[in-house]
């Protein structure tokens, strides 16, 4: 069955005349929660920057390793900001597969996109995870609304460590929005032992041809509801350095495949290395 035949009906409140970043990312990952406008945009972007689908998959694998490493560090609560529409390897699935027997965890997904929030709720119900995982429809740029939502208040204990994740989402935050201030706002609300992890599109170590392709990719998003910014390692490292009382966990700010890899790195992996930066930090006591 073709993906378009399995796609959900569009709710009346959803604008399907403009492509959505959340639904486009779902298409990059071969998901089904996207519409014709998103697929048309995605196909055009792949022609501009053929690496985009591979980078999306590497990014998803980084998310998995981030969750597993946070669990290993003792974190049992996860806040996935800009979580997007449901696809394979969601945070609650990773937690369920790696949580030590007999222990409890909590997962909260946050996205402002109607389709993302609605289908995440359905997925959690189908998975029987609604007792310990939930969905907040809110803008991640408003930490007060995120933490003040009834679902967050019910599931998250802010007196205990939380892993806050901003995976492939901060490149949609820019312009009048101040990313360092936003990260600091989240950071100050978290208990010692909390983690903050992020990943971000980049091209500062790519060759000129690939830099031009990434720039074409960036410009394409000007025609969506989610304009995109490309940033370099120095700027992203500065975000972490600006978090008072936090320390970067090894290996610091790195390319996706270099952050605590748990499988052999292939030539295909190495070809995608220059196109994203990622990292995680821990709040000290």
């Amino acid at each position: 069955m073709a993906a378009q035949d399995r796609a959900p009906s569009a709710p009346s409140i959803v604008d399907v005349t403009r492509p959505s970043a959340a639904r486009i990312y779902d298409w990059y990952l071969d998901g089904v929660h996207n519409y014709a406008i998103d697929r048309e945009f995605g196909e055009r972007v792949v022609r501009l920057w053929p690496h985009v689908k591979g980078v999306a998959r590497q990014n998803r694998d980084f998310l998995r390793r981030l969750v597993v490493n946070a669990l290993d560090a003792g974190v049992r609560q996860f806040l996935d900001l800009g979580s997007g529409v449901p696809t394979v390897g969601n945070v609650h699935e990773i937690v369920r597969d790696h949580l030590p027997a007999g222990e409890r965890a909590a997962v909260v997904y946050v996205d402002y996109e109607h389709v993302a929030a609605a289908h995440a709720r359905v997925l959690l119900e189908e998975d029987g995870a609604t007792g310990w995982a939930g969905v907040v429809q809110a803008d991640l740029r408003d930490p007060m609304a995120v933490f003040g939502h009834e679902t967050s208040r019910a599931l998250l204990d802010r007196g205990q460590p939380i892993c806050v994740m901003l995976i492939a989402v901060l490149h949609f935050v820019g312009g009048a929005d101040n990313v360092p201030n936003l990260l600091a706002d989240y950071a100050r609300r978290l208990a010692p032992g909390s983690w903050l992890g992020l990943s971000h599109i980049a091209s500062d170590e790519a060759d000129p041809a690939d830099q031009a392709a990434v720039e074409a990719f960036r410009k394409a998003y000007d025609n969506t509801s989610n304009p995109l910014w490309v940033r370099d390692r120095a700027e992203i490292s500065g975000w972490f350095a600006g978090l008072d009382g936090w320390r970067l966990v090894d290996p610091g700010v790195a390319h996706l495949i270099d952050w605590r890899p748990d499988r052999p790195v292939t030539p295909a992996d190495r070809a995608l290395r220059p196109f994203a930066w990622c990292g995680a930090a821990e709040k000290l006591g």
Side-chain angles (χ1 to χ4, degrees):
M1 183 184 297
Q4 59 266 35
D5 297 327
R6 293 178 284 137
S9 299
S12 59
I13 57 175
V14 173
D15 181 4
V16 295
T17 66
R18 296 184 73 189
S20 152
R23 302 191 311 256
I24 296 163
Y25 187 67
D26 176 67
W27 182 82
Y28 292 154
L29 294 169
D30 298 324
V32 300
H33 300 290
N34 50 76
Y35 303 111
I37 191 71
D38 308 306
R39 295 188 287 272
E40 290 166 5
F41 178 88
E43 289 165 356
R44 178 161 60 90
V45 164
V46 168
R47 290 194 293 271
L48 294 172
W49 185 35
H51 292 308
V52 63
K53 282 195 165 187
V55 173
R57 294 188 185 99
Q58 276 195 358
N59 190 73
R60 199 69 181 175
D61 199 41
F62 164 68
L63 172 116
R64 177 186 59 79
R65 300 195 309 277
L66 175 63
V67 171
V68 171
N69 278 270
L71 283 168
D72 289 345
V75 179
R76 297 293 182 262
Q77 303 183 101
F78 296 84
L79 180 62
D80 188 358
L81 299 172
S83 52
V85 298
T87 190
V88 175
N90 289 291
V91 174
H92 77 279
E93 296 170 333
I94 302 166
V95 170
R96 184 176 54 203
D97 291 344
H98 292 86
L99 187 70
E103 296 196 23
R104 297 177 60 83
V107 176
V108 173
Y109 295 105
V110 178
D111 206 288
Y112 79 97
E113 220 270 356
H114 297 290
V115 171
H119 287 283
R121 291 189 184 98
V122 170
L123 174 67
L124 294 179
E125 290 173 3
E126 291 176 346
D127 271 4
T130 51
W132 59 279
V135 181
V136 170
Q137 186 172 338
D139 192 321
L140 67 87
R141 295 170 297 179
D142 187 352
M144 184 177 295
V146 170
F147 283 113
H149 191 279
E150 60 183 1
T151 298
S152 298
R153 295 200 311 270
L155 292 176
L156 299 177
D157 177 358
R158 284 171 51 194
Q160 298 297 318
I162 299 171
C163 179
V164 173
M165 294 170 289
L166 297 118
I167 307 302
V169 68
L170 286 175
H171 44 240
F172 296 115
V173 180
D177 297 306
N178 187 309
V179 174
N181 284 352
L182 176 65
L183 294 179
D185 198 346
Y186 276 104
R188 70 178 178 82
R189 298 170 188 268
L190 302 174
S194 293
W195 279 39
L196 188 151
L198 63 87
S199 61
H200 198 293
I201 288 289
S203 67
D204 44 306
E205 290 193 353
D207 63 33
D210 281 329
Q211 287 183 343
V214 172
E215 175 61 11
F217 165 81
R218 185 203 63 75
K219 285 183 177 178
Y221 273 82
D222 288 344
N223 299 320
T224 76
S225 56
N226 306 98
L228 185 144
W229 283 260
V230 177
R231 297 178 171 106
D232 61 21
R233 187 178 190 273
E235 184 170 2
I236 294 164
S237 296
W239 294 347
F240 284 110
L243 298 179
D244 187 34
W246 289 69
R247 67 168 183 87
L248 272 170
V249 301
D250 290 337
V253 176
H255 292 302
L256 293 170
I257 61 169
D258 299 325
W259 197 91
R260 301 192 177 189
D262 56 7
R263 63 172 177 80
V265 175
T266 68
D269 290 329
R270 286 191 286 272
L272 302 174
R273 178 177 269 126
F275 300 117
W277 294 109
C278 66
E282 180 181 16
K283 189 169 188 176
L284 304 177

